[in-house]
Amino acid sequence: MNQLKHFQLLKFRKLLFPIALLLIGSTTGFAQQKLSLEEAISTALKNNYDIKLVNNDIRIAKNNVNPGNAGMLPQLTADYSKGGSRQNTVQTAATGVEKKSDGVRSTNQNYGASLGWTVFDGFQMFANYDRLKELQKLGEVNSKGTILTTVADVISGYYAVARQQQLVMATDTALDISKMRLTIAQNKLAIGRGSKLDVLSATVDYNADTSAYLQQKNLLRNSMVTLNQIMARDLNLVFEVEEAINIEQNLNYTELAGLTEQLSPALQTAFINKKIAELNLKQVKGQRYPTIDLNSGYEFSNSTSPTGFNQKFRARGFTYGVTASLNLFNGFLQRQNERNAKIEINSSELNLEKMRLDLNAQLLSAFQNYETNLDLLKVEQHNLDIAKQNLDITLAKYRLGSIAPLELREAQRNSITAITRYLDAQYQAKLTEISLKEISGTLNIQ
């Protein structure tokens, strides 16, 4: 009766085996937090340090975009100075008479305000202002790239946890079968119908499955730590995830290639760098033109000098003027700077074409892997169904005593291998889907 109860319990578990692959095992606990993919992405977007750092860079670039930083606005400065001296002097007049003075004190005081404004510099200020705006765009594109990378890491980490959860469930089920087999072998030996060899063999297999189960639990915990790290939250948090891995199976290469040209942050960065190089050349060429500055100010000065021609002096009033300068020759540096700026433009164009080629190569390779992984997933799904059927039949025969324990062990191993291969194929297919969307800039970050 004791053996019959074990067999009935095992049969009930095997009827639930397909469902068990989609449900979390008891090893993760019922009190744990249930974390959805949307919550994981939202948490990472809020907490991730890489995103915070790149957002600070955007704020700096945005602050830099102003007419004053481009050199378009005037500069107003205020000055104040006060000083003096105490001297012993000897003055000799034309008649030869000497006049000695000891401790003569002189003072001077000046204050005022001056205004300077460059009203023309060969359009360099306008090119600089456009360059600052492009730098802001570059920061925003870099932010988008960082966000896409972070979201891709979150999704990959999330489904890594889902995969490990299902593997824990599979090893737990295998452990239950081994425990049942060991119990049956011990009961048979107790009633004189079994052998010590069967008990030892069942014990070895049970210990091996226990070791595999503990190792799998450790891998699950480590994958949780990795996901917590990406989300920048407490690394010790233990949680559950949804195990269903939905793979989009209708991605189109031609559509993705077109979207990559429009949305890829890497390609957009190359475009902006090319524009910045062109604006740098415009700035350099602006140095060929004259620079015109307007200046004005108000000044007050007051000084005393008992031994001078004017013992006291005081003045106040406005100053104004205009200055113009033109670089006529600077040792051919102007020509050199323009040539270098043109070379930088050429380099940016080459980098743009290289980036486009690299992205297309990455996209094509990822798409080929994606299609291959989808085909492998179908094969592994079919193999999983066969392995489950084989295990069910083997368990039924083992219950009737018509097969040896080694045949059950072989079916059990085949089942675990099939489950592992299926989960690996499913995970790899999801990773290639994520990679395709990250390369093309179409990954959903919500």
Side-chain angles (χ1 to χ4, degrees), residues 246-251 367-381 425-426 428-430 432-433 436:
N246 299 317
I247 302 170
E248 190 172 343
Q249 303 192 14
N250 58 349
L251 295 178
F367 190 79
Q368 291 173 346
N369 293 335
Y370 166 75
E371 290 186 316
T372 300
N373 287 330
L374 288 181
D375 292 337
L376 289 173
L377 182 59
K378 293 177 182 178
V379 173
E380 297 302 339
Q381 174 67 67
Q426 191 180 48
Q428 291 301 321
K430 188 63 180 181
T432 52
E433 177 199 326
L436 282 172

Side-chain angles (χ1 to χ4, degrees), residues 147-301:
I147 290 173
L148 283 176
T149 300
T150 301
V151 171
D153 291 343
V154 170
I155 298 175
S156 300
Y158 185 90
Y159 287 118
V161 175
R163 171 174 166 269
Q164 295 299 336
Q165 280 185 180
Q166 295 181 79
L167 286 173
V168 167
M169 182 62 190
T171 54
D172 185 35
T173 302
L175 184 61
D176 287 342
I177 295 175
S178 296
K179 177 62 176 177
M180 179 207 68
R181 178 185 155 203
L182 175 59
T183 302
I184 291 176
Q186 291 172 338
N187 291 338
K188 285 185 177 180
L189 180 62
I191 62 177
R193 297 181 56 188
S195 67
K196 183 67 173 180
L197 182 62
D198 288 341
V199 174
L200 294 176
S201 176
T203 302
V204 170
D205 291 338
Y206 175 75
N207 290 337
D209 290 343
T210 301
S211 176
Y213 172 69
L214 294 175
Q215 292 177 12
Q216 198 59 58
K217 284 183 64 178
N218 183 60
L219 291 174
L220 172 60
R221 187 66 188 90
N222 288 339
S223 64
M224 290 183 185
V225 172
T226 299
L227 184 55
N228 283 330
Q229 179 185 9
I230 299 172
M231 292 188 291
R233 66 177 193 171
D234 186 358
L235 300 178
N236 294 309
L237 286 177
V238 179
F239 53 89
E240 300 175 7
V241 299
E242 302 289 344
E243 276 123 349
I245 302 179
N246 299 317
I247 302 170
E248 190 172 343
Q249 303 192 14
N250 58 349
L251 295 178
N252 182 275
Y253 175 77
T254 303
E255 293 179 0
L256 290 173
L259 292 171
T260 300
E261 188 73 22
Q262 301 174 24
L263 302 176
S264 170
L267 203 56
Q268 290 177 355
T269 296
F271 273 117
I272 294 174
N273 285 331
K274 178 176 177 293
K275 183 64 179 297
I276 292 175
E278 293 170 348
L279 291 171
N280 286 337
L281 175 60
K282 188 175 180 180
Q283 279 187 284
V284 173
K285 285 185 174 181
Q287 297 173 9
R288 288 185 175 272
Y289 296 90
T291 299
I292 301 174
D293 297 310
L294 300 179
N295 55 80
S296 65
Y298 176 84
E299 184 177 1
F300 172 85
S301 62

Side-chain angles (χ1 to χ4, degrees), residues 255-415:
E255 293 179 0
L256 290 173
L259 292 171
T260 300
E261 188 73 22
Q262 301 174 24
L263 302 176
S264 170
L267 203 56
Q268 290 177 355
T269 296
F271 273 117
I272 294 174
N273 285 331
K274 178 176 177 293
K275 183 64 179 297
I276 292 175
E278 293 170 348
L279 291 171
N280 286 337
L281 175 60
K282 188 175 180 180
Q283 279 187 284
V284 173
K285 285 185 174 181
Q287 297 173 9
R288 288 185 175 272
Y289 296 90
T291 299
I292 301 174
D293 297 310
L294 300 179
N295 55 80
S296 65
Y298 176 84
E299 184 177 1
F300 172 85
S301 62
N302 182 23
S303 63
T304 61
S305 179
T307 60
F309 182 77
N310 294 318
Q311 293 187 351
K312 291 184 178 182
F313 176 81
R314 178 182 296 175
R316 70 178 66 192
F318 290 95
T319 62
Y320 56 88
V322 59
T323 60
S325 62
L326 177 63
N327 177 30
L328 299 178
F329 180 74
N330 63 351
F332 303 109
L333 291 179
Q334 179 65 32
R335 183 175 63 179
Q336 170 190 305
N337 293 338
E338 289 184 12
R339 288 176 176 176
N340 289 341
K342 290 178 181 178
I343 293 174
E344 289 178 357
I345 292 176
N346 180 256
S347 296
S348 66
E349 291 172 345
L350 293 174
N351 184 64
L352 175 59
E353 293 305 316
K354 180 180 181 298
M355 182 59 65
R356 182 181 284 112
L357 180 63
D358 291 346
L359 286 174
N360 287 335
Q362 293 174 22
L363 187 69
L364 181 58
S365 297
F367 190 79
Q368 291 173 346
N369 293 335
Y370 166 75
E371 290 186 316
T372 300
N373 287 330
L374 288 181
D375 292 337
L376 289 173
L377 182 59
K378 293 177 182 178
V379 173
E380 297 302 339
Q381 174 67 67
H382 180 64
N383 189 52
L384 176 62
D385 293 338
I386 293 176
K388 287 163 57 180
Q389 293 178 26
N390 180 56
L391 182 60
D392 289 340
I393 294 173
T394 304
L395 280 170
K397 290 184 176 181
Y398 182 74
R399 181 181 61 182
L400 297 174
S402 60
I403 62 172
L406 290 179
E407 293 184 55
L408 174 61
R409 182 61 177 175
E410 184 65 23
Q412 185 182 6
R413 287 176 177 172
N414 290 338
S415 176

